Amino acid sequence: MPDIQLVLRSTRVVTPEGMRPASVTVADGRIVDVLPYDAEVPAGARLEDVGDDAVLPGLVDTHVHVNDPGRSDWEGFWTATRAAAAGGITTLIDMPLNSLPPTTTLDNLRVKQEVARSKAHIDTGFWGGAIPGNVSDLRQLHEAGVFGFKCFLSPSGVEEFPELDPAQLTAAIAEIASCDGLLIVHAEDPGHLAAAPQRGGAAYADFLASRPRAAENDAIALLIKLARAYEARVHVLHLSSSDALPLLADARREGVRVTAETCPHFLTLTAEDVPDGATEFKCCPPIRERENQDALWQGLADGTLDCVVSDHSPCTTDLKTPDFGTAWGGISSLQLGLPVVWTAARERGHGLEDIARWMSHGPAQVAGLPHKGAIAPGHDADFAVVAPEETFTVDPGRLHHRNQITAYAGKTLHGVVRGTWLRGERIAEGGRVTQRAGRLIERHTA
């Protein structure tokens, strides 16, 4: 038994068995035990008593566009991981596109890793990319430790990361299934998008009409069909259309290995409330109507949706033009995800246990991070300490994101992140990032 170095104590510790008073013992960066609240502190151990603040497992965000290198004026590993640390996130996985080069070959992965190595404040891993012409690269990337492969079925918005047509998608899924890898998919059918009205301009209603639910629904139906045929693991990214939930639920009951995520903005923002010209609200697929949002919450509650992750997709201010047709699509929420979701969840009767399941355990399970996502013996000692009843008003100037554009500016949110701990070391306190302790992680070492 290793010598205990830290005891983290709270009246509200969120464990897989529920929330309870507890003392969490830590040695060598791992949780040793979760003991009764008044357990004796071992000799030589440091006690950190956070009182009534809640202790959650550190959040895991598996959908972050860091854009570094190549578009580091949009974001970068230094700023993204600082924002994450300040927001209670202890692990992120970087998306393969919007950086130059994209993570589509082994050499490109090594470039990305070298850039991130000296900048990561939290544990950081990488998705690979599946694009036309790189099927022969996928196994090498898998063996190098990427957590899976992202592809698009419709244009991605950047020319260096093209979408897959049906034949290319089939070839990629067959190769990825042959090594039991994970394919993660931006699921919008290009035919439906091409047929939808593309008016552009400042009206949000016109933009919403240009990305119909049917585009998501039919793309997801195709993915389920291929996952079934190839016994493949497939994950649907940033689900926006609640119409697709029955498709996913039915497939899972049949044993098809398909999972799905949604995002804070789909759970908390509605089309009815987006002002015309306010392209800080633009994302693809889009923020939909209030009744659609209600169904997404039900999908979370019943387990059809596995997790909530940010899809943090930032850009420079000039790219957020007031024209929804030309503005860059992406919502920056890396630092704010926990309070954004908690504010809405508590109003709907959910508890902190649900937040931990959706934003820590769920994404860790999808990506394959066995030592993340729970306050339990053997797991990394990653914690988010939160004052759940306290409120704050979002001030973009206090965000660590490189470009402080946010759809949540001026909103009053519940859930102040008091501190963030990574493998037993406090890395952020009171919104300030106090040290850089992140490591690069790989699928086979995570």
Side-chain angles (χ1 to χ4, degrees):
M1 177 73 68
D3 290 338
I4 302 301
Q5 296 151 343
L6 169 70
V7 177
L8 184 62
R9 176 177 289 170
S10 168
T11 61
R12 295 187 284 185
V13 176
V14 179
T15 74
E17 293 76 37
M19 185 166 65
R20 59 187 172 90
S23 291
V24 184
T25 59
V26 175
D28 300 326
R30 290 279 176 94
I31 296 169
V32 176
D33 212 342
V34 183
L35 301 174
Y37 177 80
D38 56 359
E40 183 177 352
V41 178
R46 184 173 91 259
L47 173 65
E48 293 278 353
D49 191 330
V50 299
D52 295 329
D53 288 345
V55 180
L56 281 71
L59 270 58
V60 177
D61 194 336
T62 53
H63 196 145
V64 182
H65 294 269
V66 180
N67 307 335
D68 196 5
R71 291 190 177 98
S72 55
D73 54 335
W74 294 18
E75 192 63 277
F77 285 104
W78 183 266
T79 50
T81 59
R82 284 177 67 84
I89 298 167
T90 51
T91 305
L92 69 77
I93 305 183
D94 171 58
M95 281 291 166
L97 73 157
N98 299 343
S99 58
L100 295 169
T103 318
T104 52
T105 68
L106 180 59
D107 287 345
N108 291 359
L109 171 65
R110 297 303 184 216
V111 170
K112 182 79 71 83
Q113 289 173 323
E114 189 58 33
V115 170
R117 196 177 311 277
S118 63
K119 299 178 180 178
H121 291 81
I122 65 171
D123 285 356
T124 301
F126 302 90
W127 297 109
I131 62 172
N134 84 325
V135 168
S136 62
D137 294 291
L138 300 180
R139 186 172 293 271
Q140 269 194 320
L141 283 164
H142 178 78
E143 292 172 352
V146 300
F147 286 86
F149 301 91
K150 180 175 185 176
C151 73
F152 282 74
L153 306 187
S154 54
S156 71
V158 290
E159 63 181 14
E160 66 276 1
F161 203 97
E163 72 275 19
L164 299 179
D165 66 24
Q168 293 162 341
L169 174 65
T170 300
I173 205 168
E175 176 68 6
I176 293 165
S178 73
C179 55
D180 199 31
L182 175 64
L183 180 68
I184 66 173
V185 186
H186 182 124
E188 287 185 286
D189 177 80
H192 281 291
L193 297 184
Q198 304 291 329
R199 297 189 182 92
Y204 186 75
D206 288 343
F207 172 65
L208 182 59
S210 75
R211 318 289 296 208
R213 296 190 201 189
E216 286 190 81
N217 304 337
D218 284 5
I220 290 168
L222 172 62
L223 293 172
I224 290 169
K225 178 182 176 181
L226 290 172
R228 182 186 293 114
Y230 288 92
E231 298 184 353
R233 293 194 297 135
V234 173
H235 179 70
V236 177
L237 298 168
H238 45 48
L239 183 76
S240 164
S241 171
S242 63
D243 296 345
L245 292 171
L247 299 175
L248 291 164
D250 288 346
R252 289 162 70 127
R253 279 192 290 269
E254 294 171 22
V256 179
R257 297 198 293 171
V258 60
T259 53
E261 69 189 36
T262 194
C263 303
H265 39 278
F266 298 138
L267 296 170
T268 63
L269 305 173
T270 60
E272 293 90 339
D273 296 328
V274 177
D276 288 348
T279 55
E280 63 269 29
F281 292 87
K282 178 182 176 179
C283 57
C284 299
I287 294 164
R288 301 194 187 276
E289 302 84 355
R290 189 170 289 111
E291 52 85 15
N292 181 82
Q293 183 181 94
D294 291 340
L296 291 179
W297 278 101
Q298 182 57 44
L300 273 176
D302 65 25
T304 304
L305 291 171
D306 297 85
C307 55
V308 180
V309 291
S310 69
D311 189 12
H312 178 73
S313 185
C315 66
T316 53
T317 305
D318 61 296
L319 295 178
K320 283 291 190 183
T321 67
D323 183 334
F324 278 99
T326 59
W328 178 258
I331 292 179
S332 297
S333 64
L334 195 56
Q335 189 171 331
L336 298 171
L338 194 163
V340 164
V341 177
W342 169 237
T343 299
R346 67 194 297 276
E347 293 176 354
R348 292 175 179 264
H350 298 289
L352 291 171
E353 302 93 330
D354 297 314
I355 298 296
R357 184 171 71 254
W358 298 331
M359 303 187 76
S360 187
H361 178 73
Q365 290 291 108
V366 167
L369 290 159
H371 299 301
K372 302 288 188 181
I375 297 178
H379 282 66
D380 286 355
D382 299 347
F383 310 111
V385 179
V386 183
E389 291 81 25
E390 289 197 19
T391 63
F392 69 101
T393 300
V394 177
D395 174 3
R398 297 180 65 85
L399 299 177
H400 292 279
H401 307 155
R402 177 151 294 163
N403 292 282
Q404 296 164 327
I405 309 165
T406 175
Y408 303 104
K411 292 187 179 296
T412 298
L413 302 176
H414 280 83
V416 174
V417 179
R418 299 277 201 210
T420 306
W421 297 69
L422 178 63
R423 292 189 307 279
E425 297 291 331
R426 183 162 34 211
I427 61 171
E429 185 174 13
R432 296 177 297 102
V433 180
T434 54
Q435 68 167 306
R436 186 182 66 81
R439 297 176 182 172
L440 301 191
I441 55 174
E442 298 175 354
R443 174 184 42 78
H444 43 258
T445 60

